[in-house]
Amino acid sequence: MVVKKKHNNGFHGYGVPDIPRGPRSIRRRDLLKRTIEDSQICAFELLATVAGKLLLESEGSASSNAAEGKDPSSLHSGGVKQEQLVGAKALRSECLDQGSCVESVSVAGRHVESILREFPFAVCDPVLESTSVISSSYFSGKVGHDLKLAIPENQTSLEKSSCKIKGGSSDIGQSCDGYVDSGIARQLEDEGDRNYNVHLTTANTSNPKDEMEICVNTHPLINSDSSVQLTSFRDSIPNASFPRRRNNVKVGTRDDDEKFVGSNLPNSKIRAFRPQRIGHRRIRKLLTSKYWKVAPKLKDCEYSNTNGCIKRVSRNRKILQTCERIQREGPFKKRRIFNPSSALAYDGEGSSESISNSPEKGMKGEKSGSGVNKASLVSSSAASHQALLQSNESQVKFSIKSFKVRDLYIEVPETSTVGSLKRTVMEAVTAILRGGLHIGVLLQGKEVKDDNRTLLQTGISHNDYLDTLGFTLEPSSATASPPISPKDPPVLLPCETHQDLTRLTVSPILDTEFANASCDPPPAANVPNHVESNHELALSPTDEVTNGTTPDSRALVSIPPISVEALAVVPLNQKTRRSELAQRRIRRPFSVSEVEALVEAVEKLGTGRWRDVKLRAFEDADHRTYVDLKDKWKTLVHTASIAPQQRRGQPVPQDLLDRVLCAHSYWSQHQSKLHGKNHTEPLKISDPQAGQV
DNA sequence: TTTAGGG
DNA sequence: CCCTAAA
């Protein structure tokens, strides 16, 4: 009974307050941020101006894009900006053609935006080129970003956590804010920025497995910079209204196979701005569907559904058919993390090696300002941090190294421009990432459905379970993404039918959670200590190395591939997926209190009524099944039978073991006898402790 | 679904 | 913890 009470208190996390971090700190930050922003804004504007000029100058530079794309490394060098600008310009021109550009942007602002927005393409270029054939080629896209976050174990809802994640790195965030403030990119804000960088490679290898992976760093966030933490704090703020803005940290992250070398964004500022707004609702919607189809949002376009493919026709010119599908592969991968510390950190810079490689001097150089910011931020963060510590003893940190979007099927007319292709890809990827991903939290292969549970309650904070912590990313379901601007053309849908397939792994709960579009942040994973995951998710050694974090990060998530299969009317391998999904449950050692409750229940109920035992003593502990209790009892009996020296694991009080033996022997003798009466006949053995109940 | 056991 | 045969 005692136990039961405990459970009531401890297992229902409903009452748990959200992150204690107070609004005050937030405000401070904002102030701080503002200051910083102000200083940075100038830089942005400058950049914008330059970009604008470049754009004007280069008009038929479509080709230039390509050139630029080829040598990603160039980006790093001082010349980066220009190249990017050029690329941006080219892109932009395309956009204009198609009418997809955002109109509401001021001139300067617009340039910037386009640059930022398109930036990712630059990265892609190399690939595209290699893939010269645009039409119907498969690309595997990889999106990488790192994000780390830590949340208090007692943090109440998982959902919230995810929201928090959204927050971008402090640097970025600031810059973003600044941007916003300037009023340049409102849309961005609206749309929500994404931090993702997209890398595309022509990947023949279709490893279904990799489709979408998230890697989580196991290492303690400690590594992360203070600046990061700061960010986290913000993010952690309960009201996650701002979450939408994200930062990108690094662009080309670790790609194992990719030819692609990670290219870094030239400077953090840019990144910050980078409007990742891709995710238009429409797109989102599309994405939502099983097949993640994405149609670039163009104003002038008309959409029609064609079996899973959406056609977009631009009046002005081109017809693009885009079918993008992402296949998700079944299972997810997980990772665990370790440090208990504080808030979530978005690791913008450090993590990617690419950055380190080409530390864009520009970035860093420009960063002078940012550096300052950081410092200030840091200090503030530290303060907050302490506060946090007080309120929460232990926090769980999650770090998602990166995730990959595995296959993307893009089909466009031969006459479409490279730029449009890029855009399409970018949008698709972006949409996937941000357009509505549902995040599921898996523990030992099981979904944690109760959002109100704390990490502690769920076991996520336990080191033992961390290894089995996983996140699942699914495209949000159509239902999930409700808000659609009137403008948005209706999109898609044939796919919805298939949703079931898509989400094998996903639990409904997740969907709902994310349905609130408010949170689109990437999933985070966390874990405290160790690393033993079996999932071979993608490791991004590079990033880690750069970060200085441990190299063993593993991918957290993988999304089941939907694409081709999904399209196929026939569900191919549910089994396969399922099997993939199935994971061993996390190991959750019984605590002494649990053991006590178990013993007590068994003393009263006997050993043949595990269901009753469960109901009696562990009704509130979802993770304890009657089978588990039975098994535990089995082990307890065994443990009690062996010499103390041979016992392993957390020691169980001898008195409990004694009770175990007594109850065991008692029920062994009586089980056959009193059946009907058993339930009413508690252990009568002369066990002083038994009487305590 | 729940038990009971082996793996 | 998992998996399963049996009930």
Side-chain angles (χ1 to χ4, degrees):
Chain A
M1 303 176 189
V2 172
V3 175
K4 206 170 181 180
K5 288 180 181 178
K6 289 179 182 177
H7 286 296
N8 291 336
N9 295 335
F11 287 69
H12 292 288
Y14 296 95
V16 179
D18 289 356
I19 299 170
R21 302 150 191 168
R24 292 177 196 166
S25 60
I26 294 169
R27 287 172 192 167
R28 283 186 191 172
R29 261 182 260 144
D30 289 345
L31 291 177
L32 199 68
K33 184 167 75 176
R34 298 260 157 167
T35 312
I36 294 168
E37 291 174 357
D38 292 344
S39 63
Q40 292 182 345
I41 292 171
C42 297
F44 287 111
E45 291 182 352
L46 265 174
L47 178 60
T49 303
V50 174
K53 288 181 180 179
L54 291 175
L55 290 173
L56 292 175
E57 291 177 2
S58 58
E59 184 106 41
S61 61
S63 60
S64 65
N65 285 352
E68 173 185 312
K70 287 183 179 179
D71 184 351
S73 62
S74 63
L75 294 176
H76 301 295
S77 60
V80 174
K81 285 184 178 180
Q82 281 196 350
E83 289 182 355
Q84 291 179 348
L85 292 175
V86 172
K89 159 203 170 184
L91 291 175
R92 173 193 172 218
S93 61
E94 289 182 0
C95 293
L96 292 176
D97 292 347
Q98 298 188 5
S100 60
C101 291
V102 175
E103 57 249 20
S104 64
V105 181
S106 65
V107 176
R110 177 210 230 158
H111 291 300
V112 173
E113 179 178 358
S114 56
I115 291 169
L116 292 176
R117 185 167 151 205
E118 304 302 337
F119 193 83
F121 289 137
V123 174
C124 304
D125 289 352
V127 174
L128 293 176
E129 282 205 48
S130 59
T131 359
S132 58
V133 177
I134 294 170
S135 59
S136 62
S137 43
Y138 281 85
F139 297 87
S140 66
K142 204 185 230 181
V143 175
H145 74 288
D146 288 351
L147 72 82
K148 295 177 180 179
L149 60 114
I151 43 185
E153 291 181 358
N154 61 352
Q155 164 76 31
T156 309
S157 71
L158 294 176
E159 187 176 338
K160 288 182 179 180
S161 300
S162 59
C163 292
K164 291 177 180 180
I165 293 171
K166 283 186 175 183
S169 63
S170 61
D171 293 350
I172 294 168
Q174 290 180 355
S175 54
C176 290
D177 291 349
Y179 192 90
V180 171
D181 288 336
S182 62
I184 294 171
R186 223 149 254 146
Q187 283 189 347
L188 292 178
E189 196 176 31
D190 295 346
E191 296 287 341
D193 302 353
R194 293 249 164 167
N195 301 332
Y196 311 101
N197 294 318
V198 176
H199 296 278
L200 297 180
T201 53
T202 58
N204 302 338
T205 56
S206 40
N207 301 331
K209 295 178 179 181
D210 300 347
E211 299 180 312
M212 188 173 258
E213 301 183 328
I214 291 174
C215 297
V216 176
N217 291 338
T218 308
H219 343 308
L221 287 183
I222 298 168
N223 298 332
S224 62
D225 302 347
S226 53
S227 61
V228 171
Q229 286 186 350
L230 201 127
T231 304
S232 348
F233 282 105
R234 280 185 198 167
D235 294 352
S236 54
I237 295 166
N239 307 332
S241 49
F242 46 91
R244 291 261 165 146
R245 309 166 198 147
R246 280 209 170 134
N247 329 312
N248 275 341
V249 176
K250 37 175 165 191
V251 176
T253 316
R254 48 55 159 294
D255 296 1
D256 323 43
D257 318 8
E258 314 214 344
K259 324 175 158 190
F260 208 70
V261 174
S263 58
N264 298 334
L265 293 181
N267 47 39
S268 56
K269 291 177 182 179
I270 288 173
R271 289 182 182 177
F273 289 134
R274 181 185 189 186
Q276 305 178 344
R277 53 161 280 142
I278 320 163
H280 296 286
R281 293 178 183 180
R282 308 172 187 163
I283 289 172
R284 195 194 216 157
K285 240 188 179 179
L286 290 177
L287 291 179
T288 304
S289 63
K290 297 257 163 162
Y291 324 81
W292 297 21
K293 308 166 183 177
V294 175
K297 61 170 183 187
L298 296 184
K299 293 179 180 179
D300 300 351
C301 301
E302 294 177 358
Y303 293 81
S304 61
N305 290 335
T306 319
N307 299 335
C309 293
I310 295 170
K311 289 183 180 180
R312 176 184 42 134
V313 176
S314 164
R315 300 170 189 168
N316 300 341
R317 324 193 166 184
K318 312 168 181 178
I319 295 173
L320 296 180
Q321 269 193 345
T322 322
C323 289
E324 298 178 7
R325 306 164 190 169
I326 292 174
Q327 289 184 348
R328 315 153 104 230
E329 269 216 4
F332 351 72
K333 306 185 165 189
K334 328 164 165 189
R335 224 324 168 39
R336 46 71 178 292
I337 298 173
F338 178 24
N339 276 327
S341 296
S342 53
L344 132 168
Y346 196 52
D347 180 327
E349 302 179 344
S351 62
S352 62
E353 62 253 272
S354 59
I355 290 171
S356 62
N357 293 344
S358 57
E360 328 262 4
K361 289 346 192 168
M363 211 172 139
K364 292 186 170 181
E366 291 190 359
K367 240 181 75 181
S368 54
S370 65
V372 172
N373 296 341
K374 279 189 177 178
S376 55
L377 291 177
V378 171
S379 61
S380 65
S381 66
S384 334
H385 191 238
Q386 291 179 353
L388 290 178
L389 290 178
Q390 289 180 351
S391 51
N392 310 311
E393 335 103 41
S394 47
Q395 294 191 346
V396 180
K397 289 187 176 183
F398 297 82
S399 167
I400 295 177
K401 261 303 184 175
S402 64
F403 50 100
K404 295 180 179 180
V405 174
R406 200 189 158 226
D407 290 345
L408 212 50
Y409 176 67
I410 299 174
E411 199 175 313
V412 295
E414 292 180 341
T415 56
S416 62
T417 63
V418 172
S420 64
L421 174 58
K422 290 179 181 180
R423 266 219 299 144
T424 302
V425 173
M426 199 210 46
E427 289 183 0
V429 173
T430 303
I432 291 168
L433 293 179
R434 73 151 358 202
L437 283 180
H438 290 295
I439 299 171
V441 176
L442 299 178
L443 208 50
Q444 290 189 338
K446 286 194 173 183
E447 256 189 276
V448 176
K449 297 182 178 181
D450 187 346
D451 293 342
N452 293 317
R453 285 203 164 192
T454 63
L455 296 180
L456 187 62
Q457 293 174 337
T458 309
I460 290 174
S461 62
H462 291 248
N463 296 341
D464 291 342
Y465 307 118
L466 294 180
D467 16 331
T468 50
L469 177 65
F471 293 85
T472 59
L473 301 183
E474 288 187 337
S476 49
S477 62
T479 54
S481 58
I484 297 174
S485 61
K487 260 182 160 183
D488 298 329
V491 190
L492 94 62
L493 331 323
C495 321
E496 298 182 347
T497 317
H498 302 280
Q499 286 185 353
D500 297 353
L501 295 177
T502 315
R503 32 176 85 204
L504 282 176
T505 344
V506 177
S507 67
I509 293 176
L510 295 178
D511 295 342
T512 28
E513 292 180 0
F514 285 97
N516 313 334
S518 62
C519 305
D520 0 29
N526 121 50
V527 184
N529 312 329
H530 47 262
V531 177
E532 54 172 70
S533 66
N534 335 316
H535 320 297
E536 41 256 342
L537 301 186
L539 298 184
S540 53
T542 52
D543 294 353
E544 293 180 352
V545 170
T546 305
N547 294 345
T549 54
T550 44
D552 52 61
S553 63
R554 299 178 183 181
L556 292 183
V557 177
S558 65
I559 294 174
I562 296 168
S563 66
V564 175
E565 286 123 350
L567 293 178
V569 175
V570 180
L572 295 183
N573 353 322
Q574 289 185 347
K575 288 182 180 179
T576 305
R577 290 177 185 173
R578 202 165 271 177
S579 61
E580 291 179 358
L581 294 177
Q583 291 177 327
R584 257 210 165 206
R585 283 163 63 206
I586 315 163
R587 185 175 177 248
R588 292 186 175 89
F590 277 69
S591 64
V592 173
S593 63
E594 284 180 308
V595 171
E596 185 176 351
L598 176 59
V599 171
E600 191 176 290
V602 173
E603 285 172 340
K604 294 180 180 177
L605 302 173
T607 56
R609 301 165 61 199
W610 299 110
R611 178 169 169 275
D612 292 331
V613 170
K614 201 279 197 258
L615 264 39
R616 180 191 185 87
F618 294 83
E619 186 172 7
D620 296 323
D622 309 346
H623 58 285
R624 303 296 186 194
T625 64
Y626 44 74
V627 173
D628 292 328
L629 299 178
K630 185 259 303 176
D631 289 342
K632 179 57 182 174
W633 182 259
K634 182 172 60 178
T635 60
L636 280 173
V637 170
H638 177 262
T639 299
S641 308
I642 62 178
Q645 299 74 21
Q646 301 178 52
R647 296 170 189 162
R648 292 182 297 177
Q650 316 99 53
V652 176
Q654 187 58 46
D655 62 309
L656 282 176
L657 292 176
D658 292 339
R659 289 169 65 186
V660 168
L661 287 178
C662 290
H664 180 258
S665 59
Y666 175 87
W667 287 108
S668 294
Q669 295 179 336
H670 297 267
Q671 63 179 13
S672 58
K673 295 184 179 178
L674 344 157
H675 273 302
K677 282 172 82 181
N678 276 346
H679 51 287
T680 33
E681 245 171 283
L683 176 64
K684 294 176 181 177
I685 296 177
S686 58
D687 182 334
Q689 302 186 27
Q692 285 180 0
V693 176

PDB file of all heavy atoms in Angstrom, chain A residues 334-348:
ATOM      1  N   LYS A 334      18.182   5.207 -31.528  1.00  0.00           N
ATOM      2  CA  LYS A 334      18.218   5.986 -30.341  1.00  0.00           C
ATOM      3  C   LYS A 334      19.578   6.286 -29.907  1.00  0.00           C
ATOM      4  O   LYS A 334      20.491   5.711 -30.312  1.00  0.00           O
ATOM      5  CB  LYS A 334      17.717   5.198 -29.243  1.00  0.00           C
ATOM      6  CG  LYS A 334      16.745   4.317 -29.769  1.00  0.00           C
ATOM      7  CD  LYS A 334      16.505   3.332 -28.841  1.00  0.00           C
ATOM      8  CE  LYS A 334      15.338   2.602 -29.120  1.00  0.00           C
ATOM      9  NZ  LYS A 334      15.012   1.802 -28.169  1.00  0.00           N
ATOM     10  N   ARG A 335      19.583   7.037 -28.916  1.00  0.00           N
ATOM     11  CA  ARG A 335      20.849   7.373 -28.385  1.00  0.00           C
ATOM     12  C   ARG A 335      20.677   7.774 -26.985  1.00  0.00           C
ATOM     13  O   ARG A 335      19.628   8.158 -26.572  1.00  0.00           O
ATOM     14  CB  ARG A 335      21.360   8.553 -29.096  1.00  0.00           C
ATOM     15  CG  ARG A 335      22.699   8.264 -29.367  1.00  0.00           C
ATOM     16  CD  ARG A 335      23.126   7.567 -28.285  1.00  0.00           C
ATOM     17  NE  ARG A 335      24.298   6.891 -28.263  1.00  0.00           N
ATOM     18  CZ  ARG A 335      25.367   7.079 -28.672  1.00  0.00           C
ATOM     19  NH1 ARG A 335      25.395   7.758 -29.237  1.00  0.00           N
ATOM     20  NH2 ARG A 335      26.389   6.480 -28.463  1.00  0.00           N
ATOM     21  N   ARG A 336      21.623   7.787 -26.310  1.00  0.00           N
ATOM     22  CA  ARG A 336      21.414   8.244 -24.987  1.00  0.00           C
ATOM     23  C   ARG A 336      22.419   9.264 -24.669  1.00  0.00           C
ATOM     24  O   ARG A 336      23.354   9.464 -25.334  1.00  0.00           O
ATOM     25  CB  ARG A 336      21.614   7.175 -24.029  1.00  0.00           C
ATOM     26  CG  ARG A 336      22.699   6.577 -24.376  1.00  0.00           C
ATOM     27  CD  ARG A 336      23.836   6.445 -24.527  1.00  0.00           C
ATOM     28  NE  ARG A 336      24.402   5.307 -25.023  1.00  0.00           N
ATOM     29  CZ  ARG A 336      24.405   4.250 -24.432  1.00  0.00           C
ATOM     30  NH1 ARG A 336      23.791   4.144 -23.468  1.00  0.00           N
ATOM     31  NH2 ARG A 336      25.080   3.343 -24.863  1.00  0.00           N
ATOM     32  N   ILE A 337      22.135   9.905 -23.596  1.00  0.00           N
ATOM     33  CA  ILE A 337      22.998  10.945 -23.269  1.00  0.00           C
ATOM     34  C   ILE A 337      23.371  10.900 -21.862  1.00  0.00           C
ATOM     35  O   ILE A 337      22.929  10.128 -21.159  1.00  0.00           O
ATOM     36  CB  ILE A 337      22.280  12.184 -23.388  1.00  0.00           C
ATOM     37  CG1 ILE A 337      21.909  12.266 -24.777  1.00  0.00           C
ATOM     38  CG2 ILE A 337      23.053  13.283 -22.945  1.00  0.00           C
ATOM     39  CD1 ILE A 337      21.052  13.364 -24.972  1.00  0.00           C
ATOM     40  N   PHE A 338      24.080  11.776 -21.499  1.00  0.00           N
ATOM     41  CA  PHE A 338      24.515  11.689 -20.177  1.00  0.00           C
ATOM     42  C   PHE A 338      24.537  12.886 -19.305  1.00  0.00           C
ATOM     43  O   PHE A 338      24.290  12.961 -18.350  1.00  0.00           O
ATOM     44  CB  PHE A 338      25.812  11.214 -20.374  1.00  0.00           C
ATOM     45  CG  PHE A 338      26.565  11.050 -19.320  1.00  0.00           C
ATOM     46  CD1 PHE A 338      26.069  10.851 -18.101  1.00  0.00           C
ATOM     47  CD2 PHE A 338      27.892  11.062 -19.461  1.00  0.00           C
ATOM     48  CE1 PHE A 338      26.872  10.595 -17.090  1.00  0.00           C
ATOM     49  CE2 PHE A 338      28.665  10.818 -18.433  1.00  0.00           C
ATOM     50  CZ  PHE A 338      28.131  10.578 -17.257  1.00  0.00           C
ATOM     51  N   ASN A 339      24.812  13.811 -19.355  1.00  0.00           N
ATOM     52  CA  ASN A 339      24.960  14.700 -18.291  1.00  0.00           C
ATOM     53  C   ASN A 339      23.802  15.236 -17.656  1.00  0.00           C
ATOM     54  O   ASN A 339      22.868  15.539 -18.236  1.00  0.00           O
ATOM     55  CB  ASN A 339      25.407  15.941 -18.838  1.00  0.00           C
ATOM     56  CG  ASN A 339      26.669  15.896 -18.987  1.00  0.00           C
ATOM     57  OD1 ASN A 339      27.139  15.310 -18.232  1.00  0.00           O
ATOM     58  ND2 ASN A 339      27.247  16.485 -19.800  1.00  0.00           N
ATOM     59  N   PRO A 340      23.941  15.455 -16.503  1.00  0.00           N
ATOM     60  CA  PRO A 340      22.840  16.051 -15.846  1.00  0.00           C
ATOM     61  C   PRO A 340      23.215  17.437 -15.798  1.00  0.00           C
ATOM     62  O   PRO A 340      24.098  17.779 -15.181  1.00  0.00           O
ATOM     63  CB  PRO A 340      23.001  15.518 -14.488  1.00  0.00           C
ATOM     64  CG  PRO A 340      24.412  15.139 -14.438  1.00  0.00           C
ATOM     65  CD  PRO A 340      24.894  14.957 -15.779  1.00  0.00           C
ATOM     66  N   SER A 341      22.645  18.273 -16.329  1.00  0.00           N
ATOM     67  CA  SER A 341      23.057  19.567 -16.129  1.00  0.00           C
ATOM     68  C   SER A 341      21.935  20.390 -16.377  1.00  0.00           C
ATOM     69  O   SER A 341      20.937  20.268 -15.895  1.00  0.00           O
ATOM     70  CB  SER A 341      23.982  20.039 -17.056  1.00  0.00           C
ATOM     71  OG  SER A 341      24.876  19.724 -17.215  1.00  0.00           O
ATOM     72  N   SER A 342      21.952  21.220 -17.241  1.00  0.00           N
ATOM     73  CA  SER A 342      20.844  22.027 -17.216  1.00  0.00           C
ATOM     74  C   SER A 342      20.165  22.134 -18.475  1.00  0.00           C
ATOM     75  O   SER A 342      19.624  21.266 -19.002  1.00  0.00           O
ATOM     76  CB  SER A 342      21.240  23.343 -16.869  1.00  0.00           C
ATOM     77  OG  SER A 342      22.212  23.694 -17.699  1.00  0.00           O
ATOM     78  N   ALA A 343      20.091  23.151 -18.981  1.00  0.00           N
ATOM     79  CA  ALA A 343      19.163  23.360 -19.990  1.00  0.00           C
ATOM     80  C   ALA A 343      19.569  22.844 -21.284  1.00  0.00           C
ATOM     81  O   ALA A 343      20.517  22.198 -21.463  1.00  0.00           O
ATOM     82  CB  ALA A 343      19.038  24.788 -20.146  1.00  0.00           C
ATOM     83  N   LEU A 344      18.791  23.145 -22.210  1.00  0.00           N
ATOM     84  CA  LEU A 344      19.013  22.583 -23.480  1.00  0.00           C
ATOM     85  C   LEU A 344      19.965  23.442 -24.174  1.00  0.00           C
ATOM     86  O   LEU A 344      19.967  24.620 -24.000  1.00  0.00           O
ATOM     87  CB  LEU A 344      17.715  22.611 -24.120  1.00  0.00           C
ATOM     88  CG  LEU A 344      17.727  23.137 -25.431  1.00  0.00           C
ATOM     89  CD1 LEU A 344      16.538  22.885 -26.077  1.00  0.00           C
ATOM     90  CD2 LEU A 344      18.451  24.022 -25.832  1.00  0.00           C
ATOM     91  N   ALA A 345      20.740  22.864 -24.931  1.00  0.00           N
ATOM     92  CA  ALA A 345      21.673  23.702 -25.601  1.00  0.00           C
ATOM     93  C   ALA A 345      21.588  23.439 -27.049  1.00  0.00           C
ATOM     94  O   ALA A 345      21.443  22.335 -27.473  1.00  0.00           O
ATOM     95  CB  ALA A 345      23.047  23.362 -25.143  1.00  0.00           C
ATOM     96  N   TYR A 346      21.724  24.431 -27.760  1.00  0.00           N
ATOM     97  CA  TYR A 346      21.676  24.210 -29.164  1.00  0.00           C
ATOM     98  C   TYR A 346      23.069  24.409 -29.555  1.00  0.00           C
ATOM     99  O   TYR A 346      23.644  25.415 -29.304  1.00  0.00           O
ATOM    100  CB  TYR A 346      20.846  25.279 -29.784  1.00  0.00           C
ATOM    101  CG  TYR A 346      20.493  24.825 -31.119  1.00  0.00           C
ATOM    102  CD1 TYR A 346      19.932  23.570 -31.265  1.00  0.00           C
ATOM    103  CD2 TYR A 346      20.720  25.571 -32.215  1.00  0.00           C
ATOM    104  CE1 TYR A 346      19.580  23.138 -32.500  1.00  0.00           C
ATOM    105  CE2 TYR A 346      20.358  25.115 -33.427  1.00  0.00           C
ATOM    106  CZ  TYR A 346      19.799  23.906 -33.557  1.00  0.00           C
ATOM    107  OH  TYR A 346      19.450  23.472 -34.770  1.00  0.00           O
ATOM    108  N   ASP A 347      23.599  23.477 -30.159  1.00  0.00           N
ATOM    109  CA  ASP A 347      24.971  23.616 -30.408  1.00  0.00           C
ATOM    110  C   ASP A 347      25.132  24.103 -31.751  1.00  0.00           C
ATOM    111  O   ASP A 347      25.093  23.379 -32.682  1.00  0.00           O
ATOM    112  CB  ASP A 347      25.510  22.256 -30.314  1.00  0.00           C
ATOM    113  CG  ASP A 347      26.891  22.290 -30.550  1.00  0.00           C
ATOM    114  OD1 ASP A 347      27.325  23.096 -31.304  1.00  0.00           O
ATOM    115  OD2 ASP A 347      27.535  21.550 -29.971  1.00  0.00           O
ATOM    116  N   GLY A 348      25.228  25.241 -31.901  1.00  0.00           N
ATOM    117  CA  GLY A 348      25.284  25.734 -33.231  1.00  0.00           C
ATOM    118  C   GLY A 348      26.583  25.583 -33.845  1.00  0.00           C
ATOM    119  O   GLY A 348      26.697  25.102 -34.937  1.00  0.00           O
TER     120      GLY A 348
END
